[in-house]
Amino acid sequence: MLRLLSGNPITRTVLKTLYKPRRKLPVKLFGHTYAHPFGLAAGMDKNAKALRGWEATGLAFVEIGGVTMLEQGGNPKPRMFRASHAQALVNRMGFNNDGSEKIQAALKNHFSRHGRPGVPIWVNLGKSKITSLDEAPMDYATTMERLWAYGDVFVVNVSSPNTPNLRELQGDEGLQSILMACGNVNEACSKQSGVPRKPVLVKVAPDMTSEQLIHIAETAKSNGADGIVVSNTTIERPEHPDPRDSAVFSQQGGMSGQPLRDRSTAMIRKVRQAVGVDWPIIGVGGIASADDAWDKLAAGATLVQAYSGFVFEGPALTKDIVNGLHKRLEASPYTTIEQVVGSSTD
């Protein structure tokens, strides 16, 4: 629906009028100036169908995917469940997407017809289900090579709970080999095109100890990753769910939304304290308001993303969060949103 509405100049203008924030909270990162720190997380627009729509509704950046080397139908339906009272989702989608070749063709067509989008496009890289763990570096690198010309930032997703054994790639050897393979592609494409190399981030799971989290962050940083995304969905569930949500939380899959909010914020703070002030952290997990976003920025996130929040709040979420952040900033001792980053870790 968003793709259709944004395809018409009149309705696209209506979208901008209704939903695009008027406030500017600029953040400079990865060679771009983001209009504000709020973007779309991976999983919502897996096949890059509504790029003009997301831009029209005011998001500062859009992460497409996860994209896998091979086309995948995903897990059997039903595979997405809504816990309305907890404002949470449980999904076991299984990286359903059109595959890197079809998405490459779609992006090529989009760019040729409409030009490069006005906001940075991030690409979430996943592993094809039938690809063995040993061949995972090739799988990630192939997708990155096919989409390199169209993505501004690439996110190595080794943390989805819905691809068998994928999280094993968060270990030293797996992560190092994937980052090396993607780094080689990055370097080759950069030289060939005469364009600077693209930032590569790692997306991690919340289901680990603080020691494991810090170790993965340090491993990623020391092996060339340009930042980290904290965090993906969790396989854990709330201790005392509303009885009306219990059936949803009994489903297998990854949980996102409000119950993940505090944990992901605490993880951001731990990573920031461990890696210092200069390495970018992208905060995602349970953002449904300006206060949620502010907490993640203050904990150390440079940019933030939402996924489940759009399901429960709708497209007005962007405007609400950006305007709310502007109000918080005016009432704070800071003059720019960049000064807020990590302020609660000082």
Side-chain angles (χ1 to χ4, degrees):
M1 187 174 177
L2 183 61
R3 177 176 62 84
L4 291 172
L5 288 172
S6 61
N8 180 300
I10 296 173
T11 49
R12 190 163 64 248
T13 300
V14 172
L15 287 174
K16 291 178 181 178
T17 302
L18 288 174
Y19 299 120
K20 193 166 187 177
R22 299 287 176 261
R23 303 294 188 180
K24 297 291 185 183
L25 298 168
V27 177
K28 292 183 179 180
L29 188 68
F30 303 138
H32 294 273
T33 298
Y34 293 76
H36 53 77
F38 186 60
L40 182 73
M44 183 69 75
D45 193 351
K46 292 173 178 288
N47 299 311
K49 295 291 189 186
L51 296 183
R52 288 198 294 174
W54 302 118
E55 184 178 350
T57 57
L59 286 153
F61 63 104
V62 176
E63 185 172 341
I64 65 168
V67 183
T68 53
M69 182 179 73
L70 305 174
E71 183 175 358
Q72 298 190 153
N75 291 323
K77 296 178 180 180
R79 55 194 183 188
M80 172 71 82
F81 308 89
R82 184 188 302 210
S84 299
H85 299 92
Q87 291 204 318
L89 301 176
V90 173
N91 90 82
R92 50 173 180 266
M93 304 298 282
F95 278 157
N96 57 307
N97 73 106
D98 291 343
S100 57
E101 286 187 300
K102 286 185 177 179
I103 294 175
Q104 178 192 40
L107 288 170
K108 182 179 181 181
N109 179 59
H110 183 93
F111 279 49
S112 64
R113 288 182 63 192
H114 308 298
R116 197 166 193 96
V119 297
I121 301 301
W122 295 23
V123 180
N124 187 281
L125 305 173
K127 183 187 78 67
S128 306
K129 188 174 182 179
I130 64 171
T131 300
S132 68
L133 294 182
D134 290 344
E135 295 182 325
M138 174 274 300
D139 196 291
Y140 284 95
T142 299
T143 302
M144 184 175 180
E145 184 174 20
R146 288 172 177 166
L147 303 186
W148 193 89
Y150 308 105
D152 296 296
V153 176
F154 290 84
V155 180
V156 173
N157 186 345
V158 287
S159 51
S160 169
N162 300 316
T163 296
N165 305 317
L166 182 72
R167 291 186 172 187
E168 292 181 22
L169 295 173
Q170 292 181 128
D172 289 1
E173 188 175 336
L175 188 55
Q176 288 168 1
S177 60
I178 292 167
L179 288 173
M180 182 180 294
C182 289
N184 291 338
V185 164
N186 208 357
E187 198 66 37
C189 289
S190 173
K191 286 182 179 178
Q192 185 177 357
S193 63
V195 174
R197 60 183 293 280
K198 308 289 178 75
V200 177
L201 317 181
V202 174
K203 187 168 187 174
V204 296
D207 304 309
M208 63 180 79
T209 65
S210 297
E211 290 76 15
Q212 289 170 325
L213 171 65
I214 291 168
H215 182 74
I216 288 172
E218 290 175 340
T219 299
K221 185 180 180 183
S222 62
N223 283 274
D226 298 286
I228 191 167
V229 181
V230 181
S231 68
N232 212 319
T233 58
T234 178
I235 56 174
E236 293 191 8
R237 300 291 185 263
E239 285 186 15
H240 305 291
D242 187 294
R244 292 166 290 187
D245 291 338
S246 295
V248 171
F249 289 133
S250 69
Q251 294 290 338
Q252 183 180 354
M255 182 191 70
S256 58
Q258 286 286 283
L260 186 56
R261 179 188 60 198
D262 293 344
R263 180 188 301 188
S264 66
T265 303
M267 290 174 68
I268 291 164
R269 185 172 288 106
K270 285 187 173 70
V271 173
R272 175 58 67 215
Q273 290 169 339
V275 301
V277 298
D278 296 327
W279 200 54
I281 300 170
I282 314 305
V284 56
I287 295 178
S289 70
D291 288 342
D292 297 337
W294 182 277
D295 289 345
K296 281 181 168 46
L297 294 168
T302 307
L303 299 173
V304 293
Q305 298 173 297
Y307 169 74
S308 301
F310 285 104
V311 173
F312 294 103
E313 305 296 332
L317 180 65
T318 301
K319 195 172 187 177
D320 291 345
I321 284 181
V322 174
N323 290 345
L325 285 175
H326 187 268
K327 287 181 181 177
R328 286 286 304 259
L329 184 63
E330 286 189 321
S332 77
Y334 309 109
T335 55
T336 69
I337 204 72
E338 292 176 315
Q339 293 172 350
V340 178
V341 175
S343 57
S344 68
T345 65
D346 295 341

